[in-house]
C-alpha cells in the first residue's frame, strides 16, 4: 500500500493469515498504519503505509507484564519470529506480550509497493525512519492494549541488534533495556578493520583443521590458474556452471559466490540443522571441511562445498552465477529479491561494510572493497554518495559509556562478533560471550544440542531483563502516583 492511507497512525489494523507451511501457530499477523516520513511535515502529503507486525499475548499478564519488542531487520519478519524462540520462552517465564515488527522496505512492509525501490521513493529507507516507526508503533499499541505501565524491552539480532541498541540510545523514555545479539555496531560505523570479517570466517574453518583452510586456499589457487589461462570451458565443467564464464567480471562473480558460501556456513554454524536464511546441516563448517578434505580433486571439493549452501536439496543440475548470488555494496552478501535491494541501498548510505579478502590473513582470493569502490558503485547504482562515519555521529560509535541497560551478546564462531562490543563497559552495559556460538545463537529457541555456554548466557540475559523490568515498573508507578 503506497502511502495514500490517510487514517491516523496505528488505528487501521488489518488481519492477515499466517504463511503456508509455518510451524509456529502462536503469532497473529497484523498491519499498522505508519507515517511515511517522520521528519518532514510537507513530505509525501503526510501519507502513510501498512507496516506488518506479529503479536502474541499467549503468555501476557494483561496490563502488567512487560512487552518484548523485536526490532525487525533486513528480511521477512516471519523468518526472525520463527528463529528467535528464546524471546517467547522468556515471555512465558516473565508473562510478557511479544511483538515482532517488520522493518520498512522489507517483507510486506513496502511503503510504495513495487515502486518502493525507485528513486526518489527509496530515500525514505533510513535507520532513523525505521527507529521512529518502532517508537510510534510501541506508543500507540501500548495505548490500544491498555499497557501504558508495561515496561518495554527491545530485542534484535545482527542489524536488528544494532537497531535495539539505537532504540535504547534514542528513545530511553520508551525502552527500558535492549538485548543486542551479534550486533556489529562498531564495524558498521566504520570503526573496524577491513580484513577482520573474512579473517574470522577463515579462522572458523582453520579451527576445525588447518588442512581445511589450506585446501580451500589451494582450490582457489587452482581456479585462478584456470582463469588466468582463460580456460573458461574447464571452469564451467569443474563447477557445473549453467553457462561458461566469458570475462574477468564473470570470474569475480564466481569468486564472490564461492566466498559467500563459506561466509554463510560460518555465520550459521549451529550444532543442529536449520532452515534460517537457507537450509543448513548441523555443524556446517565441519561438514564443509569434510567435503574439502575428502579427496585430491580440490576443485570438485570446492564445488560440492559451495553446494552445501546453494544446492542443499540436490535438485539443481547446474549453478547459475548471477541468480544464486548478487554482488552489492555488502561484500558479505545482500541476499536475493526485494530484500536484497533494500539492504544494498542501506549499505550505500548509512551502514558501512567495506570488508575485503586478501589471501594473506584469509583463505579467499584478493577482493578489495574500499570506500572509493563503495562510492563509485553506490553513485552508479542508487545515485547516492555514502556518508562514512555517520553512524558514529548519530548513534555514538564506541563512546557508549553514558548509556545503560544494554546486553551485547556474541558467539566466538560468528565472523560478525569482532565488529561488536566484546567487553563489558559498565555493570549495565554487559558483554556476554558464547563459546561455540554462531550468529545470534542465544536468540534461537532451546535445543538439546545447545552448548552449555549459551544456556548460561540465556540465564544471565533473563536475570538482567527481569531486573530492568522491575526497575522500569517502579519508575512508571512512581511517575503515575505523582500525576
Amino acid at each position: 500500500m503506497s502511502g495514500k492511507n490517510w487514517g491516523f497512525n496505528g488505528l487501521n489494523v488489518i488481519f492477515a493469515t499466517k504463511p503456508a507451511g509455518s510451524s509456529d501457530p502462536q503469532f497473529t499477523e497484523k498491519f499498522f498504519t505508519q507515517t511515511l516520513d517522520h521528519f518532514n511535515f510537507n513530505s509525501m502529503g503526510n501519507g502513510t503505509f501498512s507496516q506488518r507486525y506479529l503479536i502474541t499475548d499467549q503468555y501476557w499478564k494483561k496490563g502488567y507484564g512487560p512487552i518484548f519488542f523485536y526490532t525487525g531487520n533486513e528480511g521477512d519478519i516471519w523468518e526472525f519470529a520463527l528463529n528467535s524462540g528464546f524471546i517467547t520462552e522468556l515471555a512465558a517465564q516473565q508473562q510478557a506480550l511479544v511483538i515482532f515488527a517488520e522493518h520498512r522496505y522489507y517483507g510486506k512492509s513496502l511503503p510504495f509497493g513495487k515502486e518502493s525501490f525507485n528513486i526518489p521513493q527509496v530515500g525514505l529507507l533510513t535507520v532513523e525512519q525505521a527507529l521512529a516507526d518502532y517508537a510510534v508503533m510501541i506508543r500507540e499499541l501500548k495505548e490500544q492494549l491498555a499497557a501504558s505501565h508495561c515496561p518495554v524491552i527491545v530485542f534484535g539480532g545482527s542489524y536488528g541488534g544494532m537497531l535495539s541498541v539505537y532504540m535504547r540510545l534514542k528513545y530511553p523514555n520508551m525502552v527500558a533495556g535492549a538485548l543486542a545479539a551479534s550486533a556489529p555496531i562498531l564495524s558498521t560505523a566504520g570503526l573496524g578493520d577491513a580484513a577482520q570479517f573474512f579473517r574470522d570466517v577463515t579462522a572458523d574453518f582453520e579451527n576445525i583443521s588447518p588442512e581445511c583452510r589450506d585446501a580451500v586456499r589451494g582450490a582457489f589457487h587452482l581456479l585462478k590458474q584456470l582463469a588466468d589461462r582463460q580456460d573458461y570451458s574447464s571452469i564451467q565443467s569443474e563447477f557445473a556452471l549453467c553457462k561458461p564464464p566469458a570475462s574477468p567480471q564473470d570470474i569475480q562473480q564466481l569468486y564472490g559466490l564461492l566466498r559467500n558460501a563459506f561466509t554463510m556456513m560460518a555465520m550459521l554454524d549451529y550444532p543442529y540443522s536449520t532452515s534460517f536464511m537457507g537450509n543448513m546441516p548441523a555443524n556446517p563448517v565441519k561438514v564443509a571441511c569434510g567435503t574439502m578434505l575428502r579427496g585430491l580433486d580440490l576443485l570438485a571439493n570446492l564445488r560440492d562445498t559451495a553446494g552445501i549452501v546453494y544446492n542443499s536439496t540436490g535438485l539443481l543440475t547446474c549453478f547459475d552465477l548471477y541468480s544464486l548470488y548478487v554482488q552489492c555494496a555488502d561484500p558479505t552478501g545482500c541476499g536475493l529479491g526485494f530484500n536484497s535491494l533494500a539492504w544494498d541501498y542501506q549499505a550505500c548510505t548509512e551502514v558501512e561494510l567495506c570488508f575485503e579478502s586478501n589471501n594473506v590473513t584469509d583463505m579467499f582470493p584478493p577482493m578489495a572493497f574500499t570506500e572509493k569502490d563503495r562510492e563509485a558503485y553506490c553513485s552508479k547504482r542508487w545515485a547516492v554518495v555514502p556518508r562514512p562515519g555517520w553512524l558514529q555521529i548519530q548513534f555514538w560509535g564506541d563512546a557508549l559509556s553514558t548509556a545503560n541497560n544494554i546486553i551485547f551478546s556474541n558467539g566466538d564462531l560468528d565472523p560478525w562478533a569482532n565488529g561488536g562490543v566484546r567487553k563489558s563497559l559498565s555493570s549495565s552495559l554487559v558483554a556476554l560471550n558464547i563459546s561455540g556460538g554462531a550468529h545470534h545463537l542465544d536468540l534461537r529457541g532451546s535445543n538439546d544440542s545447545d552448548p552449555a555456554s549459551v544456556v548460561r548466557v540465556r540465564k544471565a540475559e533473563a536475570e538482567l531483563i527481569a531486573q530492568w523490568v522491575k526497575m522500569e515498573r517502579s519508575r512508571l508507578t512512581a511517575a503515575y502516583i505523582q500525576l
Side-chain angles (χ1 to χ4, degrees):
M1 271 65 65
S2 71
K4 295 297 181 187
N5 299 326
W6 302 97
F8 192 73
N9 280 332
L11 299 186
N12 281 342
V13 176
I14 307 161
F15 289 85
T17 56
K18 199 170 166 49
S22 195
S23 60
D24 192 337
Q26 62 189 347
F27 288 102
T28 302
E29 180 180 285
K30 298 186 180 183
F31 287 84
F32 181 90
T33 304
Q34 186 61 265
T35 300
L36 271 173
D37 187 348
H38 296 282
F39 307 113
N40 186 330
F41 288 84
N42 292 322
S43 170
M44 305 294 172
N46 292 317
T48 60
F49 73 99
S50 293
Q51 181 177 14
R52 181 164 60 163
Y53 68 99
L54 312 178
I55 187 167
T56 177
D57 61 1
Q58 183 173 341
Y59 312 107
W60 191 36
K61 185 173 181 181
K62 285 187 170 56
Y64 180 82
I67 297 170
F68 291 168
F69 188 96
Y70 185 93
T71 52
N73 36 317
E74 72 279 29
D76 187 298
I77 195 60
W78 279 110
E79 274 279 291
F80 302 114
L82 298 178
N83 286 279
S84 303
F86 170 64
I87 298 173
T88 46
E89 290 174 11
L90 192 62
Q93 293 173 25
Q94 300 192 11
Q95 300 178 302
L97 177 72
V98 179
I99 299 168
F100 278 75
E102 189 163 71
H103 194 298
R104 58 168 56 204
Y105 288 82
Y106 292 96
K108 289 186 178 178
S109 300
L110 301 178
F112 303 96
K114 291 180 181 178
E115 297 178 359
S116 295
F117 301 101
N118 295 348
I119 299 167
Q121 289 91 329
V122 73
L124 292 178
L125 172 53
T126 67
V127 171
E128 292 81 1
Q129 296 279 6
L131 297 176
D133 288 343
Y134 298 150
V136 169
M137 184 184 286
I138 287 169
R139 184 190 65 184
E140 299 209 12
L141 290 182
K142 285 184 80 171
E143 203 171 286
Q144 288 178 31
L145 297 167
S148 57
H149 292 95
C150 296
V152 177
I153 306 295
V154 288
F155 296 74
S158 197
Y159 169 54
M162 293 164 55
L163 296 175
S164 289
V165 173
Y166 301 161
M167 284 294 291
R168 176 62 185 159
L169 300 181
K170 284 286 185 186
Y171 300 102
N173 55 316
M174 305 183 75
V175 169
L179 169 52
S182 299
I185 62 165
L186 304 181
S187 60
T188 54
L191 293 168
D193 165 9
Q196 170 264 315
F197 187 87
F198 291 110
R199 181 174 65 233
D200 288 354
V201 172
T202 298
D204 283 353
F205 292 84
E206 185 177 56
N207 289 339
I208 295 293
S209 156
E211 292 79 14
C212 177
R213 172 206 61 203
D214 294 343
V216 175
R217 185 176 272 146
F220 275 114
H221 180 67
L222 291 174
L223 172 56
K224 182 180 185 299
Q225 289 181 328
L226 291 176
D228 287 346
R229 296 200 304 265
Q230 296 187 9
D231 189 352
Y232 294 147
S233 61
S234 292
I235 292 174
Q236 179 187 18
S237 172
E238 290 284 1
F239 288 93
L241 303 180
C242 300
K243 296 177 183 175
S247 66
Q249 180 188 334
D250 291 347
I251 297 301
Q252 285 295 304
Q253 179 72 12
L254 177 57
Y255 286 162
L257 176 138
L258 294 169
R259 187 180 68 174
N260 187 62
F262 289 93
T263 296
M264 295 295 290
M265 288 184 281
M267 283 174 55
L268 305 177
D269 194 20
Y270 301 124
Y272 46 83
S273 62
T274 58
S275 58
F276 177 56
M277 291 164 50
N279 295 315
M280 283 288 172
N283 304 300
V285 170
K286 188 174 182 180
V287 172
C289 284
T291 305
M292 283 305 308
L293 296 172
R294 71 182 176 191
L296 298 177
D297 189 344
L298 289 182
L299 291 177
N301 296 349
L302 181 57
R303 175 197 66 216
D304 292 343
T305 300
I308 295 168
V309 173
Y310 297 116
N311 195 18
S312 59
T313 62
L315 297 176
L316 283 184
T317 56
C318 64
F319 295 106
D320 186 317
L321 274 182
Y322 289 93
S323 69
L324 291 172
Y325 172 71
V326 176
Q327 287 198 352
C328 64
D330 179 358
T332 74
C334 282
L336 302 169
F338 279 151
N339 292 334
S340 73
L341 297 178
W343 187 242
D344 188 33
Y345 182 80
Q346 291 198 262
C348 270
T349 49
E350 298 178 294
V351 182
E352 296 183 47
L353 296 158
C354 288
F355 300 120
E356 64 177 24
S357 56
N358 55 37
N359 202 237
V360 177
T361 59
D362 57 64
M363 62 191 181
F364 303 110
M367 296 176 71
F369 189 67
T370 64
E371 277 296 345
K372 206 168 182 179
D373 295 329
R374 180 190 184 210
E375 186 171 325
Y377 168 84
C378 296
S379 175
K380 183 178 178 182
R381 175 65 185 86
W382 295 106
V384 295
V385 178
R387 295 180 191 168
W390 175 244
L391 289 184
Q392 292 180 46
I393 295 169
Q394 187 75 325
F395 301 110
W396 305 18
D398 57 358
L400 294 164
S401 59
T402 56
N404 63 6
N405 292 8
I406 303 172
I407 298 166
F408 302 95
S409 63
N410 284 287
D412 64 2
L413 299 181
D414 184 12
W416 291 105
N418 287 323
V421 176
R422 302 300 303 271
K423 293 181 180 177
S424 295
L425 303 174
S426 71
S427 61
S428 64
L429 293 171
V430 181
L432 298 173
N433 292 301
I434 305 164
S435 177
H439 203 46
H440 47 69
L441 175 64
D442 50 324
L443 288 187
R444 299 185 63 81
S446 301
N447 189 288
D448 290 342
S449 299
D450 280 335
S453 57
V454 78
V455 177
R456 287 194 298 270
V457 162
R458 288 183 186 131
K459 185 172 184 291
E461 290 168 347
E463 289 170 355
L464 283 167
I465 288 167
Q467 289 173 26
W468 297 342
V469 167
K470 186 177 179 181
M471 287 164 52
E472 180 68 358
R473 186 172 284 126
S474 298
R475 186 189 73 81
L476 290 169
T477 302
Y480 180 72
I481 291 170
Q482 285 178 3
L483 291 174

